[in-house]
Amino acid sequence: MSTDIAFERDDAATTRTGGKPNAGSEFAELRRRVSEAGLLTRRPGYYAARIAVVTACYVGAWVVFGFLGDSWAQLPVAAFLGVVFAQVALVAHDLAHRQIFRTRRPSEIAGLIAGNLGIAMSYGWWMDKHTRHHANPNHEDLDPDVAPGILVWSDEQARHSRGVTRMIGRRQAFLFFPLLSLEGFNLHVSAVRAVLRPGLRMRRAEAVLLTVHTVAYVAALFLTLSPGLAIAFCLVHQAVFGLYLGSTFAPNHKGMPAPTPEQQKDFLRRQVLTSRNVRGGRLVDVALGGLNYQIEHHLFPSMPSPHLRRAQPIVRAYCAERGIPYQESGLVDSYAQALRHLHRVGASLRTRRQS
């Protein structure tokens, strides 16, 4: 199944083992209530304003960069630009889910501009990865976000870890946030790998836009700044970008259970029981791009992000009716839960080393 079709459907669950809920399912009743509340309609005015603000910040940061010239005062600009890049990524996320445009073509064009040209992230590669995550959240074999890598997410992965993964896994809870600062670089490397492999949709367009961004970025830094300052600017910028973007996704599923075989067949429970909401006010909504309402987002991925707050009491009440646990935590506590999970999973590696 193509990623654009998978993202278009509100169940986000037709890839791999997931199937679309039938008309009489528990999810169908919840969807009816949410639809009757008008929460599945698009919000063009909201997104026009949001994109305008993000674009103004993006352009404004580079204008200030040009005005300051070769000065160490550029480092705060680098940090601010890291925040802006993360906000662009969150807009690309909403584009991929068709929250902004109804049809594929404008979503894809805008996504390529925001992702590839704006922040040097392969929009097509990320769409494929994120689709698989939505279809099977926290499933060790099917969710790429918990696949074995530098970090281990389960006892099973810890038992089979080797080399650098095993070494980092022993102290991964302490290294988690420092490693997130490398996520920006990881996205860029993954983008290059994606366009070098056959099979990527609009591969040539993605490669051209990535090249334009990279050449313009490197030229701007090294033609404006001294070599040392240019490198420092890049490191600060990409570190803030990676840390911020990684921190928006980290509280949502990390430390939550993997779905059981029975839950894997039940769309409603598969999405609710593997997700965690983050409590907070409007500031948290803006900072996390609406991803703090992760349960509602996973149930209704094409729902515009400003509607997620309004959908929450409907979903929470429905889960209470059906006896489905609904997890939500404060922002700090959500990170603490994720870190405790990482520390617990790494315990066997620490014990093995001592023995």
Side-chain angles (χ1 to χ4, degrees), residues 11-52:
D11 58 298
T14 52
T15 60
R16 304 284 182 169
T17 61
K20 188 172 182 178
N22 61 57
S25 69
E26 289 179 294
F27 175 73
E29 169 59 21
L30 173 60
R31 192 184 192 285
R32 182 188 65 79
R33 297 186 189 183
V34 168
S35 180
E36 287 180 352
L39 301 181
L40 298 180
T41 57
R42 284 174 172 76
R43 291 285 301 274
Y46 162 82
Y47 276 109
R50 178 176 167 185
I51 292 171

Side-chain angles (χ1 to χ4, degrees), residues 222-242:
F222 284 91
L223 292 178
T224 304
L225 311 176
S226 63
L229 181 55
I231 293 172
F233 184 99
C234 179
L235 291 175
V236 170
H237 173 212
Q238 298 299 329
V240 172
F241 171 41

Side-chain angles (χ1 to χ4, degrees), residues 296-323:
E296 289 71 28
H297 172 59
H298 262 252
L299 290 171
F300 305 98
S302 67
M303 179 183 288
S305 59
H307 285 171
L308 295 170
R309 171 184 281 270
R310 293 168 54 195
Q312 185 187 32
I314 299 174
V315 173
R316 184 167 50 197
Y318 189 78
C319 287
E321 288 177 23
R322 305 288 171 162

